[in-house]
Amino acid sequence: MKAIVKNQYFWGIIALVLLIMVDVIKDPSFIQITVSNGNLYGSLIDILRGSAPVLMIAIGMTLVIATAGIDLSVGSLMAVAGAVSMEFLASAANSGSTGAVLTALGLSLLVTVILGAINGLLVSVVGLQPFITTLIMMMTGRGIAKVITGGQNTSARSDGFAWISTGTVFGFPVAFVIAIAIVALVALVVRRSALGMTIESVGINQRASRMAGIKPLYILFSVYVISGLLAGMAGVFATANVMTVEVSKTGMDMGMDAILAVVIGGTSLAGGRFSLGGSAIGALLITTLNRTVTFLNVPSAATPAFKAVVIIIVCLLQSERVRNLFKTLKRSRRVVEAAPARVEEVKEVVAA
């Protein structure tokens, strides 16, 4: 039981279950899943569909944070990906064709990979602080999105592109299936090769890893490129869902959600060991929390405070120091409760 409690997945799963229970108490039909024309419908299915963008940026953010870095630009890169895809499809002669859809997808990912590579170069080669570098890219990316769209929200019509987010495979949302497949692929590459170990070593101590024969520059560059790629995919999911890019809103606050998902998943912001599975659970938790806020009709003004309270509770439960404090208090209470009996024993010994 102690091993289970210490597991980085445990408290995230518990919090996820509790949130769903709160929703069920308010409306028992929350967990109801219906089948129509071979597709699954329900609030839980909506959570899976909505979790796809958060999953993407959380996985990329995990790798960046594991190197003791941070990527604040993911939300802006989502807007760039949406701007590129919508502008291309809006101007395409046949936006519904497979070629147009694949070209829009490829261009979106290519642009965000380039922007991610710029982040990587500035951090690894130039030696700028990741916080400053990605903060600059956050502002620059939003500006690039506005330049691409002329500062206007852009919409397009393409059933094929919309299918990426709203379609289904075996009844499940396509976006979630694609996201899980990408997460599994990244986990396979990272954990079945030396890449994961080198990322952790760079995050713990770059100088020591360099002396061990690892090239930190390549690792740092790679994780920011991967983060840019996954942010672009998240932007495609978010944009394809409504077939509109709002350059000032698309991807807004998603960077914070990704960081929270990573922290909830048990990855240390100081770098080093990381957990892709924990980040995936954290992404599901953040998505469920956002859904719960709406479901409970929490006032918009109180929404940030509500989310903060839930996240702080989860993080405190994960803290070994907090758990040890509770254990100490429990022992102290037992000692206090046993004190009267011990006093009586001493009195009997003295009387004897």
Side-chain angles (χ1 to χ4, degrees):
M1 188 62 188
K2 290 181 180 179
I4 294 176
V5 171
K6 289 182 179 180
N7 191 291
Q8 52 198 352
Y9 302 156
F10 179 76
W11 293 108
I13 295 174
I14 292 297
L16 184 60
V17 172
L18 289 177
L19 281 176
I20 294 175
M21 288 177 61
V22 169
D23 294 326
V24 171
I25 291 173
K26 185 178 186 300
D27 184 1
S29 65
F30 182 85
I31 59 173
Q32 183 178 353
I33 297 177
T34 58
V35 181
S36 178
N37 297 324
N39 296 326
L40 302 176
Y41 297 93
S43 296
L44 295 181
I45 301 301
D46 292 337
I47 289 174
L48 296 182
R49 180 179 289 106
S51 67
V54 187
L55 270 170
M56 292 293 88
I57 57 177
I59 294 303
M61 188 72 74
T62 301
L63 300 179
V64 171
I65 289 178
T67 61
I70 196 77
D71 190 351
L72 302 177
S73 66
V74 289
S76 296
L77 297 191
M78 288 178 63
V80 172
V84 171
S85 59
M86 288 299 101
E87 281 292 324
F88 176 82
L89 292 174
S91 61
N94 185 7
S95 60
S97 66
T98 302
V101 171
L102 293 178
T103 302
L105 177 61
L107 287 175
S108 300
L109 299 182
L110 176 62
V111 172
T112 55
V113 163
I114 292 173
L115 296 178
I118 293 174
N119 279 337
L121 285 173
L122 292 176
V123 172
S124 61
V125 178
V126 180
L128 293 181
Q129 290 290 331
F131 182 90
I132 299 300
T133 300
T134 56
L135 180 63
I136 294 172
M137 183 57 73
M138 180 178 71
M139 296 183 290
T140 304
R142 195 70 62 176
I144 292 173
K146 290 181 179 180
V147 170
I148 293 173
T149 62
Q152 303 297 320
N153 297 338
T154 303
S155 300
R157 296 191 62 181
S158 174
D159 293 338
F161 195 80
W163 180 84
I164 296 175
S165 182
T166 60
T168 57
V169 173
F170 303 115
F172 290 94
V174 171
F176 180 73
V177 174
I178 295 175
I180 289 297
I182 293 175
V183 171
L185 177 62
V186 173
L188 183 64
V189 172
V190 169
R191 293 306 185 188
R192 295 298 180 182
S193 69
L195 180 60
M197 186 177 297
T198 56
I199 289 175
E200 290 179 348
S201 64
V202 170
I204 294 172
N205 192 316
Q206 283 194 37
R207 181 176 297 179
S209 63
R210 187 182 298 108
M211 294 176 65
I214 297 171
K215 297 182 178 179
L217 296 186
Y218 294 160
I219 300 299
L220 291 173
F221 178 79
S222 299
V223 295
Y224 284 97
V225 170
I226 293 172
S227 180
L229 174 63
L230 296 181
M233 197 68 219
V236 169
F237 287 146
T239 306
N241 189 44
V242 292
M243 291 304 296
T244 299
V245 58
E246 299 182 52
V247 290
S248 60
K249 293 184 179 179
T250 299
M252 186 65 68
D253 297 330
M254 291 293 284
M256 295 299 103
D257 284 348
I259 294 172
L260 290 173
V262 173
V263 173
I264 290 172
T267 299
S268 171
L269 291 177
R273 298 196 63 178
F274 63 93
S275 171
L276 295 176
S279 296
I281 292 172
L284 288 172
L285 177 60
I286 293 296
T287 307
T288 305
L289 180 57
N290 291 333
R291 179 78 178 183
T292 300
V293 168
T294 304
F295 195 70
L296 297 180
N297 295 320
V298 176
S300 58
T303 296
F306 181 85
K307 289 178 63 176
V309 169
V310 174
I311 292 167
I312 288 173
I313 290 174
V314 175
C315 292
L316 288 176
L317 290 173
Q318 287 180 322
S319 172
E320 187 173 352
R321 181 175 297 180
V322 173
R323 292 199 299 268
N324 290 336
L325 177 60
F326 280 114
K327 290 179 181 178
T328 302
L329 292 175
K330 189 175 181 180
R331 292 195 203 98
S332 301
R333 188 180 64 179
R334 288 177 179 175
V335 171
V336 171
E337 291 175 350
R342 296 291 298 171
V343 170
E344 292 299 325
E345 291 178 4
V346 171
K347 287 182 178 178
E348 291 176 2
V349 172
V350 171

